[in-house]
Every structure is written in C-alpha cells, then in structure tokens.
Amino acid sequence: MSSDTSAERVLGTTGVARREVGSRESVAANIAWWDADSDDYHRRHGDFLGVSDFMWCPESLREEDARLLGDVSGRDVLEIGCGSAPCARWLTEQGARVVGLDLSGGMLRYAAAANTATDTHPALVRANAERLPFASESFDIACSAFGAVPFVADVGAVFREVARVLRPGGTWTFAVNHPMRWMFPDDPGPDGLVVTGSYFDRTPYVEVDDDGTPTYVEHHRTLGDYVRALHEAGLTLFDLIEPEWPEGHTREWGQWSPLRGERFPGTAIFRCHR
Ligand SMILES: C[S@@+](CC[C@H](N)C(=O)[O-])C[C@H]1O[C@@H](n2cnc3c(N)ncnc32)[C@H](O)[C@@H]1O
C-alpha cells in the first residue's frame, strides 16, 4: 500500500483505518497522496520505469516484448493514471496518437518535464478516471499500468467510461495488484508469505491523519468482482495475465520481491475488448 515516506510526514499520516470510503474522499486522498509522493515515487522507481518505456509491472514485463496492445501505430490511445507518462511517450514513439490522463498535478508535472526533455509529446490531461472528459468513441485502445483502478471507489464507473470512449472493437488492458495479494501483509520478506487477512474482505485500506481524514486510499476487488464489473460495463474479458517472476530479476518494488514472486502472482493484467 503506501510506503514509508515523506508524503506521510507532509500529509500528517498517523494511522490506518480500515473503513468504507466513497468516491469523493478517495479522489481527495489520491490527489493529496500522489502530489505529495511524486518526488519520492520518481526517486525510488524512476530508473526502473524509464523515461520512454512501457513497463507493465514490477515483474518487469515490457510492452515491447509482450505486445499486449497489438500494433499501436496510427491508433488513438488513452493511458489512464499515466503518472510521469513513460508508457505514453513510448506509445507515441511507436506512432500512436496518445493522451495520458492522471488525477495528480504533481505526477503530471513530471510528465510535462519529461515530454520537454525527450521532445516527445503525448497530450496530458488532468482528470478523474471515473469521469473521462472525452467524447464517446474517441479511442481505439485504452490501457493502464497500476493507474487509477486500484485507487477508485467506483471501478464500475471507470469501466463504463472506458467502454464509452472506446470505439467498437477497441481494447482495454489494465494491470493491477493481483487480488490474492490482499490477504498478505504489505511486506516483501518472509512475513509477507503469511496470510493475515481475508481475500473476501473488500473493506478499503485507508491511511488517516489525526482528524481521521484519509491521506491514502486503496480499494480491493476479488477476481470475480472485476469480471462482473467489466461485463456490466459491456466489456468482454478475453485474457488474464499473471506475470511470473523472471529468473535473475532481483529488484524489489514495495511488497513485490523475488521471494514472493516465485510463489504467487503479484500482478494481474486484464485484457478486454468492447
Ligand atoms: C502507482 S501510480 C502508476 C503511475 C504510472 N502508470 C506508473 O506505472 O508509474 C498510480 C497513478 O494513478 C493516478 N490516479 C489515482 N487515482 C486516479 C484517478 N481516480 N483518476 C486518474 N488517475 C488516478 C495517480 O495519480 C498515480 O499517478
């Protein structure tokens, strides 16, 4: 979930409250968190993510090798929760017309600086993924690498919006924490191998300040919840990828580690079409 950082100090995080939290509170907490964490996030993970590279997950699966999006050249592509937009820039270099969308001005400032530095210019839009500011049937492809989906209260709204802005036959591919990770502590070491919670407990993980105001929010859905929400949005799921930990890959990312990676999946990548 979140990791120990100056963002916690800046936001005055003092504890964890497992409780229901709706869209308004989730959005406010996510803006605050990702704005405050953007420096640390890029210090910790910037070299792994690259400036112009499409990394799907901490298991180091690259779009360049996996080709989950197919040929993107000449296509209209929306990246949701783009952060500093390395994926959006990589897609632009492949000949796609790309929009990178994110809720956080702090993350998008990194994106704008990297666009300038690389002279590669996917459009950048600040918005909430639950209400996409685009006309219907504007995109051929929508994608997301851990952007927005784990953090929104209403994942059905995101999926319905994605279905609305996709053209018929368009695809939606998104990576999230594998739902089975929810029952383990957020720990890359041996303690992270011990089940301490219920897979079925959908109560959000919420960090709070002294007043109980959320400073970080993460929502949980089971695999079945995702499948139903996609179906209800009119999307057809045709593949679910659970990347295995590659041999020789030693880099940890938060709770992702070789120790856990060799035993159970950390990431789920859903592939759907409209
Ligand atoms: C874990 S980061 C991933 C960023 C990028 N995809 C990457 O791989 O580095 C999650 C991103 O989702 C964004 N985000 C969170 N909630 C969102 C929402 N409701 N709408 C749009 N973006 C959101 C955050 O601002 C953050 O940039």
Short mmCIF file of all heavy atoms in Angstrom, two decimals, residues 72-77 88 90-98 141:
data_model
loop_
_atom_site.label_atom_id
_atom_site.label_comp_id
_atom_site.label_asym_id
_atom_site.label_seq_id
_atom_site.Cartn_x
_atom_site.Cartn_y
_atom_site.Cartn_z
N VAL A 72 0.14 -0.39 -32.43
CA VAL A 72 -0.48 0.87 -31.99
C VAL A 72 -0.30 2.01 -33.00
O VAL A 72 -0.88 3.08 -32.84
CB VAL A 72 0.08 1.33 -30.61
CG1 VAL A 72 -0.22 0.28 -29.54
CG2 VAL A 72 1.57 1.64 -30.68
N SER A 73 0.48 1.76 -34.01
CA SER A 73 0.80 2.82 -34.97
C SER A 73 -0.48 3.36 -35.63
O SER A 73 -1.32 2.59 -36.12
CB SER A 73 1.74 2.25 -36.03
OG SER A 73 1.98 3.22 -36.99
N GLY A 74 -0.63 4.68 -35.59
CA GLY A 74 -1.80 5.32 -36.20
C GLY A 74 -3.07 5.20 -35.37
O GLY A 74 -4.13 5.65 -35.80
N ARG A 75 -2.97 4.59 -34.18
CA ARG A 75 -4.15 4.40 -33.33
C ARG A 75 -4.28 5.54 -32.31
O ARG A 75 -3.28 6.13 -31.90
CB ARG A 75 -4.06 3.08 -32.56
CG ARG A 75 -3.93 1.86 -33.44
CD ARG A 75 -5.15 1.76 -34.37
NE ARG A 75 -5.16 0.53 -35.12
CZ ARG A 75 -5.81 -0.57 -34.73
NH1 ARG A 75 -6.48 -0.60 -33.60
NH2 ARG A 75 -5.80 -1.64 -35.48
N ASP A 76 -5.51 5.77 -31.88
CA ASP A 76 -5.76 6.72 -30.78
C ASP A 76 -5.74 5.94 -29.48
O ASP A 76 -6.55 5.03 -29.28
CB ASP A 76 -7.12 7.40 -30.97
CG ASP A 76 -7.13 8.32 -32.17
OD1 ASP A 76 -6.28 9.26 -32.19
OD2 ASP A 76 -7.93 8.11 -33.10
N VAL A 77 -4.81 6.31 -28.60
CA VAL A 77 -4.59 5.53 -27.37
C VAL A 77 -4.77 6.44 -26.15
O VAL A 77 -4.23 7.55 -26.10
CB VAL A 77 -3.16 4.93 -27.35
CG1 VAL A 77 -2.95 4.10 -26.09
CG2 VAL A 77 -2.92 4.07 -28.58
N ALA A 88 3.14 6.45 -22.06
CA ALA A 88 2.52 7.29 -23.10
C ALA A 88 3.58 7.78 -24.09
O ALA A 88 3.32 7.85 -25.31
CB ALA A 88 1.81 8.47 -22.45
N TRP A 90 6.43 6.18 -24.81
CA TRP A 90 6.84 5.03 -25.61
C TRP A 90 5.81 4.77 -26.72
O TRP A 90 6.17 4.53 -27.88
CB TRP A 90 7.00 3.79 -24.72
CG TRP A 90 7.51 2.60 -25.45
CD1 TRP A 90 8.81 2.29 -25.72
CD2 TRP A 90 6.71 1.56 -26.06
NE1 TRP A 90 8.88 1.12 -26.45
CE2 TRP A 90 7.61 0.65 -26.67
CE3 TRP A 90 5.35 1.32 -26.14
CZ2 TRP A 90 7.17 -0.49 -27.34
CZ3 TRP A 90 4.90 0.18 -26.82
CH2 TRP A 90 5.82 -0.71 -27.41
N LEU A 91 4.54 4.84 -26.37
CA LEU A 91 3.48 4.61 -27.36
C LEU A 91 3.53 5.67 -28.46
O LEU A 91 3.33 5.36 -29.65
CB LEU A 91 2.11 4.63 -26.67
CG LEU A 91 1.83 3.44 -25.73
CD1 LEU A 91 0.65 3.75 -24.79
CD2 LEU A 91 1.53 2.17 -26.54
N THR A 92 3.82 6.91 -28.07
CA THR A 92 3.93 7.99 -29.06
C THR A 92 5.07 7.69 -30.03
O THR A 92 4.94 7.86 -31.25
CB THR A 92 4.18 9.34 -28.34
OG1 THR A 92 3.12 9.55 -27.40
CG2 THR A 92 4.23 10.51 -29.32
N GLU A 93 6.16 7.19 -29.48
CA GLU A 93 7.31 6.85 -30.35
C GLU A 93 6.99 5.71 -31.31
O GLU A 93 7.64 5.57 -32.35
CB GLU A 93 8.52 6.45 -29.49
CG GLU A 93 9.16 7.64 -28.80
CD GLU A 93 10.25 7.23 -27.82
OE1 GLU A 93 10.54 6.02 -27.71
OE2 GLU A 93 10.79 8.13 -27.16
N GLN A 94 5.99 4.89 -30.94
CA GLN A 94 5.59 3.78 -31.84
C GLN A 94 4.60 4.25 -32.90
O GLN A 94 4.07 3.45 -33.66
CB GLN A 94 4.95 2.62 -31.05
CG GLN A 94 5.73 2.12 -29.84
CD GLN A 94 7.18 1.82 -30.15
OE1 GLN A 94 7.45 1.02 -31.05
NE2 GLN A 94 8.10 2.45 -29.44
N GLY A 95 4.28 5.55 -32.89
CA GLY A 95 3.41 6.08 -33.94
C GLY A 95 1.95 6.23 -33.53
O GLY A 95 1.11 6.51 -34.39
N ALA A 96 1.65 6.05 -32.24
CA ALA A 96 0.27 6.22 -31.79
C ALA A 96 0.00 7.70 -31.48
O ALA A 96 0.92 8.46 -31.21
CB ALA A 96 0.02 5.38 -30.54
N ARG A 97 -1.30 8.07 -31.56
CA ARG A 97 -1.71 9.39 -31.05
C ARG A 97 -2.19 9.15 -29.62
O ARG A 97 -3.16 8.42 -29.42
CB ARG A 97 -2.86 9.96 -31.89
CG ARG A 97 -2.44 10.44 -33.26
CD ARG A 97 -3.64 10.98 -34.02
NE ARG A 97 -4.64 9.95 -34.27
CZ ARG A 97 -4.62 9.11 -35.31
NH1 ARG A 97 -3.67 9.21 -36.22
NH2 ARG A 97 -5.55 8.19 -35.46
N VAL A 98 -1.50 9.76 -28.65
CA VAL A 98 -1.69 9.32 -27.27
C VAL A 98 -2.14 10.46 -26.37
O VAL A 98 -1.65 11.59 -26.46
CB VAL A 98 -0.35 8.75 -26.71
CG1 VAL A 98 -0.58 8.15 -25.33
CG2 VAL A 98 0.21 7.70 -27.65
N ILE A 141 -7.71 2.25 -28.31
CA ILE A 141 -7.04 1.46 -27.27
C ILE A 141 -7.03 2.28 -25.98
O ILE A 141 -6.73 3.47 -26.00
CB ILE A 141 -5.57 1.17 -27.69
CG1 ILE A 141 -5.53 0.29 -28.94
CG2 ILE A 141 -4.78 0.53 -26.54
CD1 ILE A 141 -4.14 0.15 -29.57
#
